[in-house]
Amino acid sequence: MTTATTGNATAVRAVGTAHARVEGLAKVTGAARYAGEIPFAELAHGWLVLSTVARGRISAVESGPVRAMPGVLTVLHHGNAPRVDADYTGMLGRPDPIVEIFQHDRVPFVGWPVALVVAETSEQAREAAEALVVQYDVEPHDAAFAADHPGAYVPENPAGMETGKGDLAAELAASAVVVDAEYTTPEEHHSSMEPHAATARWDNGRLEVVDSNQGSMWVAEELAKLFSLDPASVRVRSEHVGGAFGSKGLRPHQVLAVMATTLLHRPVRVVMTRRQMFSLVGHRSPTAQRVRLGADADGRLRALDHQALSRTSTVHEFVEQSASVGRTLYDAAAHHTANRVVRLDVPTPTWMRAPGEAPGSFALESALDELAEQCGIDPIELRARNEPEAGPVSGLPFASRNLLACFQEGARRFGWADRDPRPGVRRDGRWLLGTGTASAQFLARAVPSTAAVTAEPDGTFTVRITAADVGTGARTALTLIAADALEVEPERVRVRIADSDFGPAMIAGGSMGTRSWAWAVTAAVRELREHLVPGGAVPPQGITARSDTAAAIGALAQKERHSYGAQFAEVAVDLTSGEVRVRRMLGIFAAGRIVNPLTARSQFLGGMVWGLSMALHEEAVRDRTSGAQVGADLAGYHIAAHADVPLIEADWVDDPDEDDPVGIKGIGEIGTVGSAAAIANAVWHATGVRHRHLPIRPDRVLLAGAGRETVGERDAGHRR
């Protein structure tokens, strides 16, 4: 075909129908290569050396013996590394100083990079790195996170860390029912299947980096600023990514690969080990949260106070905004929230799937369940009675808010009407059974992006956009979106992504990727169709149209835009062993237009499994004496395995937004939000004991169970 025809009056719409991933065959056959697998001629390998002390200075790097080892090409450290400049503001603000690597002798936490050994093979590099001796002048450190830490403060930036309206003390005093409880969540880690890896080389005067990241343009711009390069001279590609969840931005391995290739004049690859990832790529901070709810006897909120504390490093401020989750879920005459942080000698936290909302929803939705119990009101009915008419803090109208529709459909499918509200009355042999529920919400935003669409002479179309598919199926979703916009079959569309040469675009993060990219792609298609003549010939170079959505997004009406969901869980608890088993989960979501039901359902299910893992398993323990994490590997850091995952169902309700030209909302995070709370609420329903500290480990269940039995015996004695 050599004409410009795009229309097909009988074409079936691709968006909304299930499609297998367009790159699926390449992945399952091994044809798809990840960043650490792509071959390069004369490739050298770098191996990181990390600090073993939590605070101090490097007094010596004894690199002489290591440089004499077989295959070793160089040893980089603060005494000989190229200079970089981190005095800039990037896409997401000031960079974490960890990327300003080897620029000084300070050590701010265990796991801080102190050297890079580069050798002919990765085995030689590792052997030499493990032999390298680094001497330190050690200083006292503080790595102990506690709710009453005297160093806690409310950050000034970004704005909105603390919000408030109404007289909190007066409304609590006037409330018929008050819940005042403290909740904690532990340090958690991303643990993506594919480790962080990058290869750097100079090619005809351009720096080329093959990487595993969430935004190639993002990383390219940061590297250009860091090394004072012309942005046009830096190209970053990230074709396939095996998981990210917030951790794959600019990290030390990309910077070191660039340093080493510049010095050695040959390609250099740096791949992190699993253990190194536990200190170098961020994590979710532990949280200590206090929630106070005051309500009338009928459960209508008068006061909502959510105070959350997280930790950050001494070199960079990152805040886990757990207290923010209630700012759009529930209203009250007195509505106060605050996110506080404390600086400790630990690695800097970062965004992790559903940042803020995941730990925040555990605390708030557990407190709502406690309020329902005290009021004698069904938990779903309590939430219905507290549906706000507008944003509780912002005052903005809701673009669409179908939370109650999620609860109605979920309750029907889960069999909620048959639930006996009394705790501890259902049994299945040795197991106590319980059910719980919780709300979920996550922000739906779009970020200005660019895209290009080319009509090819053979009748196909090529889309180019610096999107990132981190395992979510984004490449396939964009194929379907482009096909519908062009009114052609998906087979006639090729989507090329993850190349910084394609221009600025939103990263894969914050559940904003597909929404932002879809907007840019459809805008480029509209522009292309204006240049095509039906039946006209397409020149050999094709016809290309480009888009930039900055103006359109800026003109979008200011409203509260969110995805919503209702989480349901059934658990079985054995008080003799402390074992908790989730028997089934159901999530019903209102997440705008669902592009590909097949991959969308997988995203929801994956998020819910993450929440299950958060509720029952995940907990990184930090040794106060050394400041190091105990068991920094997948043997010491437990995640949900296949045997832990029960029957999980995810579905959605219609969620149109007539004011939104895209109609797509993010789904990457929403599945995680509320799922841990639903499980914790179900454990209370099974046992009559509240678990306010995650994870709900067997020892905690046993301890709580022993206390429950003691109370029961005491009550029996009183009755006698």
Side-chain angles (χ1 to χ4, degrees):
M1 180 181 292
T2 60
T3 66
T5 301
T6 63
N8 184 351
T10 61
V12 176
R13 303 289 289 182
V15 170
T17 59
H19 280 72
R21 297 170 187 262
V22 295
E23 81 284 7
L25 180 62
K27 284 184 174 178
V28 299
T29 59
R33 284 178 166 167
Y34 292 81
E37 302 175 322
I38 299 172
F40 289 92
E42 298 185 317
L43 179 65
H45 299 265
W47 200 277
L48 277 157
V49 179
L50 308 184
S51 71
T52 56
V53 303
R55 187 179 179 90
R57 291 186 179 274
I58 302 169
S59 58
V61 179
E62 300 178 8
S63 59
V66 167
R67 289 200 305 271
M69 294 179 69
V72 173
L73 300 171
T74 190
V75 179
L76 288 174
H77 53 81
H78 73 279
N80 63 7
R83 298 294 93 184
V84 295
D85 182 7
D87 186 18
Y88 67 86
T89 299
M91 176 188 250
L92 299 180
R94 301 283 295 181
D96 186 335
I98 197 170
V99 303
E100 197 176 7
I101 199 164
F102 300 164
Q103 304 298 294
H104 54 76
D105 63 355
R106 294 286 315 170
V107 173
F109 55 77
V110 173
W112 180 263
V114 295
L116 180 79
V117 177
V118 186
E120 296 286 353
T121 69
S122 61
E123 292 81 6
Q124 291 170 331
R126 177 177 183 174
E127 182 181 11
E130 292 176 348
L132 182 67
V133 175
V134 180
Q135 303 286 355
Y136 304 92
D137 293 328
V138 181
E139 301 171 2
H141 68 270
D142 179 10
F145 177 76
D148 57 353
H149 196 289
Y153 65 96
V154 178
E156 294 183 1
N157 292 304
M161 286 294 174
E162 186 169 19
T163 63
K165 68 176 185 180
D167 189 329
L168 188 63
E171 293 296 339
L172 286 170
S175 296
V177 181
V178 174
V179 170
D180 186 345
E182 296 182 359
Y183 306 85
T184 65
T185 61
E187 177 181 330
E188 299 169 352
H189 287 263
H190 302 79
S191 303
S192 55
M193 289 189 293
E194 179 205 15
H196 295 57
T199 304
R201 66 170 181 168
W202 286 95
D203 183 19
N204 295 321
R206 290 192 81 197
L207 175 64
E208 181 181 16
V209 178
V210 177
D211 188 26
S212 176
N213 63 52
Q214 293 176 242
S216 296
M217 191 69 189
W218 174 28
V219 174
E221 289 178 342
E222 299 271 336
L223 289 174
K225 290 182 172 70
L226 198 64
F227 287 94
S228 302
L229 299 171
D230 179 354
S233 69
V234 181
R235 182 188 187 190
V236 176
R237 293 183 293 125
S238 184
E239 178 69 11
H240 297 289
V241 181
F245 309 113
S247 71
K248 287 185 174 175
L250 184 67
R251 298 295 177 189
H253 64 297
Q254 299 122 320
V255 181
L256 291 175
V258 174
M259 284 184 176
T261 192
T262 302
L263 291 174
L264 297 174
H265 307 291
R266 58 189 289 186
V268 177
R269 174 172 294 156
V270 180
V271 180
M272 291 190 191
T273 66
R274 180 66 60 183
R275 181 173 288 272
Q276 289 169 350
M277 287 168 58
F278 276 87
S279 61
L280 293 180
V281 304
H283 60 277
R284 198 196 304 278
S285 166
T287 71
Q289 303 177 59
R290 183 186 183 189
V291 179
R292 291 187 293 173
L293 302 176
D296 294 333
D298 63 358
R300 299 183 191 278
L301 288 171
R302 301 179 65 101
L304 187 156
D305 179 42
H306 191 168
Q307 308 288 318
L309 177 68
S310 62
R311 74 172 186 212
T312 190
S313 69
T314 59
V315 296
H316 189 63
E317 184 180 86
F318 181 88
V319 186
E320 184 75 19
Q321 300 182 40
S322 304
S324 303
V325 67
R327 295 176 182 175
T328 58
L329 274 176
Y330 310 110
D331 200 1
H335 196 294
H336 289 240
T337 65
N339 293 292
R340 293 182 172 84
V341 69
V342 60
R343 293 185 181 274
L344 298 175
D345 299 307
V346 297
T348 306
T350 192
W351 297 274
M352 184 169 167
R353 197 172 194 176
E357 277 83 357
S361 66
F362 163 66
L364 182 60
E365 293 300 304
S366 294
L368 260 290
D369 204 67
E370 297 197 42
L371 181 64
E373 173 199 352
Q374 291 191 31
C375 291
I377 300 172
D378 179 84
I380 296 178
E381 175 59 26
L382 179 75
R383 288 164 173 82
R385 293 182 186 183
N386 286 286
E387 266 288 281
E389 295 182 357
V393 173
S394 69
L396 293 173
F398 290 106
S400 63
R401 182 181 170 98
N402 289 313
L403 176 59
L404 292 187
C406 294
F407 272 112
Q408 290 164 0
E409 177 63 12
R412 183 188 68 80
R413 291 177 55 166
F414 198 74
W416 189 262
D418 298 328
R419 178 182 190 258
D420 187 330
R422 297 173 300 165
V425 298
R426 290 181 59 207
R427 279 189 175 272
D428 180 9
R430 63 187 175 93
W431 300 96
L432 289 169
L433 305 181
T435 53
T437 190
S439 299
Q441 71 86 29
F442 199 84
L443 186 66
R445 289 183 56 201
V447 172
S449 300
T450 63
V453 181
T454 301
E456 307 289 359
D458 63 358
T460 63
F461 298 87
T462 302
V463 176
R464 293 176 177 85
I465 184 168
T466 313
D469 192 332
V470 295
T472 59
R475 183 190 277 102
T476 306
L478 292 177
T479 300
L480 304 183
I481 289 164
D484 274 9
L486 290 162
E487 297 183 10
V488 300
E489 300 82 1
E491 292 73 21
R492 290 174 59 188
V493 177
R494 292 188 301 272
V495 174
R496 296 183 58 193
I497 64 171
D499 187 331
S500 62
D501 278 357
F502 296 159
M506 175 56 188
I507 65 173
S511 290
M512 292 180 273
T514 301
R515 175 171 164 78
S516 302
W517 305 325
W519 202 326
V521 169
T522 53
V525 169
R526 285 196 301 270
E527 180 69 19
L528 175 65
R529 297 187 68 160
E530 291 183 4
H531 292 82
L532 295 179
V533 178
V538 175
Q541 71 273 20
I543 301 175
T544 299
R546 292 177 172 83
S547 67
D548 184 338
T549 60
I553 290 175
L556 192 63
Q558 293 297 303
K559 293 185 178 182
E560 290 281 6
R561 287 186 167 84
H562 299 266
S563 294
Y564 295 96
Q567 302 275 16
F568 295 83
E570 180 180 9
V571 304
V573 184
D574 182 356
L575 292 182
T576 61
S577 68
E579 184 178 4
V580 177
R581 284 285 177 182
V582 178
R583 290 197 167 184
R584 60 187 176 116
M585 293 181 72
L586 169 67
I588 302 294
F589 302 96
R593 186 162 58 117
I594 300 299
V595 178
N596 185 358
L598 187 63
T599 53
R601 184 168 280 105
S602 293
Q603 280 296 291
F604 290 135
L605 296 179
M608 294 168 71
V609 171
W610 191 303
L612 183 156
S613 194
M614 176 183 179
L616 302 182
H617 303 285
E618 296 191 41
E619 179 180 28
V621 178
R622 197 161 290 275
D623 177 30
R624 294 189 178 190
T625 302
S626 67
Q629 183 179 326
V630 179
D633 50 48
L634 294 184
Y637 181 76
H638 295 169
I639 59 176
H642 284 293
D644 300 304
V645 179
L647 172 66
I648 299 182
E649 296 180 90
D651 212 335
W652 45 86
V653 297
D654 288 339
D655 187 34
D657 179 0
E658 302 302 330
D659 188 42
D660 190 333
V662 180
I664 296 169
K665 296 181 180 179
I667 59 176
E669 265 101 353
I670 188 71
T672 303
V673 184
S675 48
I679 292 170
N681 293 338
V683 171
W684 167 80
H685 187 232
T687 64
V689 176
R690 287 284 174 190
H691 287 269
R692 302 185 180 96
H693 311 285
L694 295 184
I696 306 175
R697 303 189 310 250
D699 61 307
R700 288 174 169 167
V701 174
L702 289 173
L703 182 62
R708 177 177 178 268
E709 290 172 0
T710 301
V711 170
E713 292 169 359
R714 187 183 304 118
D715 290 344
H718 289 326
R719 286 193 296 273
R720 287 193 296 270

mmCIF file of all heavy atoms in Angstrom, residues 356-370:
data_model
loop_
_atom_site.group_PDB
_atom_site.id
_atom_site.type_symbol
_atom_site.label_atom_id
_atom_site.label_comp_id
_atom_site.label_asym_id
_atom_site.label_seq_id
_atom_site.Cartn_x
_atom_site.Cartn_y
_atom_site.Cartn_z
ATOM 1 N N GLY A 356 3.353 7.413 49.699
ATOM 2 C CA GLY A 356 2.452 8.143 50.586
ATOM 3 C C GLY A 356 1.125 7.439 50.758
ATOM 4 O O GLY A 356 0.711 7.127 51.878
ATOM 5 N N GLU A 357 0.443 7.155 49.649
ATOM 6 C CA GLU A 357 -0.892 6.547 49.728
ATOM 7 C C GLU A 357 -0.871 5.140 50.320
ATOM 8 O O GLU A 357 -1.798 4.754 51.042
ATOM 9 C CB GLU A 357 -1.526 6.498 48.340
ATOM 10 C CG GLU A 357 -2.195 7.790 47.901
ATOM 11 C CD GLU A 357 -1.227 8.785 47.314
ATOM 12 O OE1 GLU A 357 -0.008 8.491 47.292
ATOM 13 O OE2 GLU A 357 -1.666 9.864 46.880
ATOM 14 N N ALA A 358 0.159 4.347 50.018
ATOM 15 C CA ALA A 358 0.171 2.964 50.506
ATOM 16 C C ALA A 358 0.255 2.908 52.034
ATOM 17 O O ALA A 358 -0.623 2.330 52.692
ATOM 18 C CB ALA A 358 1.301 2.174 49.855
ATOM 19 N N PRO A 359 1.281 3.507 52.659
ATOM 20 C CA PRO A 359 1.295 3.484 54.136
ATOM 21 C C PRO A 359 0.217 4.359 54.744
ATOM 22 O O PRO A 359 -0.348 4.019 55.799
ATOM 23 C CB PRO A 359 2.694 3.989 54.482
ATOM 24 C CG PRO A 359 3.126 4.778 53.292
ATOM 25 C CD PRO A 359 2.494 4.105 52.108
ATOM 26 N N GLY A 360 -0.094 5.495 54.081
ATOM 27 C CA GLY A 360 -1.113 6.379 54.628
ATOM 28 C C GLY A 360 -2.485 5.754 54.652
ATOM 29 O O GLY A 360 -3.256 5.929 55.605
ATOM 30 N N SER A 361 -2.827 4.993 53.602
ATOM 31 C CA SER A 361 -4.140 4.345 53.560
ATOM 32 C C SER A 361 -4.250 3.245 54.602
ATOM 33 O O SER A 361 -5.337 2.982 55.129
ATOM 34 C CB SER A 361 -4.418 3.780 52.166
ATOM 35 O OG SER A 361 -3.524 2.721 51.849
ATOM 36 N N PHE A 362 -3.121 2.585 54.915
ATOM 37 C CA PHE A 362 -3.174 1.582 55.976
ATOM 38 C C PHE A 362 -3.624 2.212 57.278
ATOM 39 O O PHE A 362 -4.516 1.687 57.973
ATOM 40 C CB PHE A 362 -1.813 0.917 56.161
ATOM 41 C CG PHE A 362 -1.680 0.185 57.476
ATOM 42 C CD1 PHE A 362 -2.448 -0.942 57.730
ATOM 43 C CD2 PHE A 362 -0.832 0.657 58.465
ATOM 44 C CE1 PHE A 362 -2.356 -1.604 58.961
ATOM 45 C CE2 PHE A 362 -0.727 0.010 59.685
ATOM 46 C CZ PHE A 362 -1.493 -1.125 59.935
ATOM 47 N N ALA A 363 -3.032 3.361 57.636
ATOM 48 C CA ALA A 363 -3.393 4.007 58.897
ATOM 49 C C ALA A 363 -4.810 4.568 58.859
ATOM 50 O O ALA A 363 -5.635 4.283 59.744
ATOM 51 C CB ALA A 363 -2.388 5.114 59.207
ATOM 52 N N LEU A 364 -5.131 5.354 57.845
ATOM 53 C CA LEU A 364 -6.436 6.016 57.793
ATOM 54 C C LEU A 364 -7.576 5.020 57.653
ATOM 55 O O LEU A 364 -8.603 5.120 58.353
ATOM 56 C CB LEU A 364 -6.464 7.014 56.636
ATOM 57 C CG LEU A 364 -7.767 7.818 56.493
ATOM 58 C CD1 LEU A 364 -8.042 8.642 57.731
ATOM 59 C CD2 LEU A 364 -7.708 8.707 55.256
ATOM 60 N N GLU A 365 -7.421 4.038 56.763
ATOM 61 C CA GLU A 365 -8.507 3.085 56.544
ATOM 62 C C GLU A 365 -8.658 2.101 57.694
ATOM 63 O O GLU A 365 -9.751 1.576 57.934
ATOM 64 C CB GLU A 365 -8.285 2.349 55.224
ATOM 65 C CG GLU A 365 -8.418 3.237 53.994
ATOM 66 C CD GLU A 365 -9.801 3.862 53.883
ATOM 67 O OE1 GLU A 365 -10.794 3.109 53.876
ATOM 68 O OE2 GLU A 365 -9.885 5.102 53.823
ATOM 69 N N SER A 366 -7.588 1.852 58.438
ATOM 70 C CA SER A 366 -7.722 1.069 59.670
ATOM 71 C C SER A 366 -8.474 1.873 60.724
ATOM 72 O O SER A 366 -9.336 1.338 61.437
ATOM 73 C CB SER A 366 -6.335 0.676 60.195
ATOM 74 O OG SER A 366 -5.671 -0.215 59.320
ATOM 75 N N ALA A 367 -8.155 3.161 60.810
ATOM 76 C CA ALA A 367 -8.851 4.016 61.776
ATOM 77 C C ALA A 367 -10.332 4.140 61.437
ATOM 78 O O ALA A 367 -11.191 4.145 62.337
ATOM 79 C CB ALA A 367 -8.196 5.399 61.806
ATOM 80 N N LEU A 368 -10.663 4.240 60.148
ATOM 81 C CA LEU A 368 -12.078 4.276 59.741
ATOM 82 C C LEU A 368 -12.787 3.006 60.170
ATOM 83 O O LEU A 368 -13.954 3.030 60.598
ATOM 84 C CB LEU A 368 -12.181 4.460 58.234
ATOM 85 C CG LEU A 368 -12.484 5.864 57.692
ATOM 86 C CD1 LEU A 368 -13.905 6.278 58.017
ATOM 87 C CD2 LEU A 368 -11.475 6.884 58.172
ATOM 88 N N ASP A 369 -12.110 1.875 60.061
ATOM 89 C CA ASP A 369 -12.710 0.612 60.477
ATOM 90 C C ASP A 369 -12.922 0.590 61.993
ATOM 91 O O ASP A 369 -13.935 0.076 62.480
ATOM 92 C CB ASP A 369 -11.806 -0.548 60.054
ATOM 93 C CG ASP A 369 -12.571 -1.852 59.914
ATOM 94 O OD1 ASP A 369 -13.409 -1.944 58.989
ATOM 95 O OD2 ASP A 369 -12.343 -2.775 60.726
ATOM 96 N N GLU A 370 -11.977 1.156 62.725
ATOM 97 C CA GLU A 370 -12.146 1.236 64.178
ATOM 98 C C GLU A 370 -13.322 2.144 64.529
ATOM 99 O O GLU A 370 -14.084 1.864 65.471
ATOM 100 C CB GLU A 370 -10.859 1.752 64.819
ATOM 101 C CG GLU A 370 -9.663 0.833 64.627
ATOM 102 C CD GLU A 370 -8.536 1.129 65.596
ATOM 103 O OE1 GLU A 370 -8.843 1.376 66.784
ATOM 104 O OE2 GLU A 370 -7.363 1.092 65.183
#
